[in-house]
Amino acid sequence: MSYTMGQKKNKEEDFIRKTAEFVEEKLKGAESGHDWWHILRVWNNTKLILQEENADRLVCELTALLHDIADSKFHDGDETIGPRVAGEFLNGIGVEAAVVEHVQNIILNMSYKASLGTVNFHSKELEVVQDADRLDAIGAIGIARAFNYGGFKNREIYNPDLPVLENQSKEAYKNTTAPTINHFYEKLLLLKDRMNTKTAKKIAEGRHEFMASFLQQFYSEWNGAS
């Protein structure tokens, strides 16, 4: 069955609307660094990046909405559950098989921990959504999310006796129990230079500087400065 351009656009808007409703309901009560509000911010970041980057809008928006539908860190490290849940939902509302597969491949390969292992998939759409997600991991929001997740996992805020572990393997990163401050050096401060798109790189500069300023103030207060 063929569609006019207008019908195709309306169909895609319907898919996006249904997906947003599904995700908002599914993530009620989720850890607040990975809840609906995180999804909404990543979705908005995706749309912002798409104003400057040429990529498939439907794939990008569906992936932004579904990328944390079943995050492996909340499912015993199972990295297949997210793509599976996303695929089941998208197939259920009639999204084209090629689009579903593309979304699943991005979800499987877009996380920071995935980048520490072997990545066998790449697309412009992955670049866009990966940047949108990484932007939400840095800056003021990123700081808030880091400490919220650290508290959720009952981790120390900081322990000067526990050194930062650089150049971690994927498994070491997945299994870390390090204090939250260490996470800045093991991931957050590295993201600025790992952005893919010009739009994200520009936004990341200011957010990175904010985190660096925060850490300087943190250490000053930790050491008893006035």
Side-chain angles (χ1 to χ4, degrees):
M1 182 178 181
S2 60
Y3 295 98
T4 65
M5 289 298 294
Q7 288 173 325
K8 183 174 185 291
K9 183 177 180 181
N10 289 341
K11 192 72 173 176
E12 291 183 353
E13 291 290 349
D14 189 51
F15 288 149
I16 292 168
R17 177 186 59 78
K18 287 178 178 176
T19 303
E21 291 173 352
F22 167 71
V23 174
E24 184 173 9
E25 177 64 27
K26 185 80 170 176
L27 293 183
K28 279 184 178 178
E31 183 269 327
S32 62
H34 300 81
D35 60 0
W36 165 248
W37 299 113
H38 164 63
I39 299 300
L40 183 60
R41 293 190 301 270
V42 173
W43 186 18
N44 286 334
N45 287 342
T46 297
K47 289 185 279 190
L48 177 64
I49 294 170
L50 284 172
Q51 292 177 15
E52 303 294 332
E53 301 291 332
N54 184 24
D56 188 294
R57 172 178 166 269
L58 178 63
V59 170
C60 289
E61 292 199 43
L62 291 178
T63 308
L65 287 164
L66 288 163
H67 78 279
D68 271 344
I69 196 62
D71 191 310
S72 64
K73 70 174 64 71
F74 303 110
H75 293 84
D76 300 319
D78 183 356
E79 296 175 26
T80 67
I81 188 170
R84 185 169 69 250
V85 171
E88 289 170 354
F89 172 76
L90 294 176
N91 284 322
I93 62 173
V95 174
E96 183 182 348
V99 172
V100 176
E101 183 179 5
H102 196 166
V103 170
Q104 289 178 304
N105 278 325
I106 297 174
I107 294 173
L108 186 62
N109 291 281
M110 68 176 275
S111 71
Y112 182 74
K113 66 177 177 292
S115 73
L116 299 177
T118 301
V119 178
N120 296 313
F121 176 82
H122 182 265
S123 71
K124 183 64 179 183
E125 290 72 25
L126 182 149
E127 289 186 356
V128 169
V129 185
Q130 187 176 66
D131 279 1
D133 188 38
R134 288 180 172 179
L135 284 173
D136 203 55
I138 60 177
I141 292 292
I143 293 170
R145 291 182 66 211
F147 285 105
N148 184 82
Y149 184 72
F152 178 79
K153 299 294 285 187
N154 197 31
R155 293 178 182 169
E156 292 180 279
I157 292 174
Y158 176 52
N159 186 333
D161 296 327
L162 296 176
V164 171
L165 299 177
E166 298 180 349
N167 301 315
Q168 289 179 304
S169 68
K170 180 179 178 180
E171 285 305 309
Y173 178 82
K174 283 177 64 175
N175 296 316
T176 185
T177 58
T180 298
I181 287 295
N182 291 39
H183 186 60
F184 283 80
Y185 300 94
E186 294 167 358
K187 176 185 176 182
L188 307 188
L189 292 171
L190 305 178
L191 294 179
K192 173 178 71 73
D193 294 329
R194 297 191 178 209
M195 296 294 171
N196 304 294
T197 64
K198 289 182 180 179
T199 303
K201 288 176 181 178
K202 183 177 180 180
I203 296 170
E205 290 286 345
R207 297 192 183 196
H208 180 90
E209 291 304 316
F210 187 89
M211 291 192 299
S213 177
F214 165 79
L215 288 168
Q216 183 178 21
Q217 179 70 17
F218 179 90
Y219 293 128
S220 177
E221 294 181 14
W222 183 273
N223 293 317
S226 60

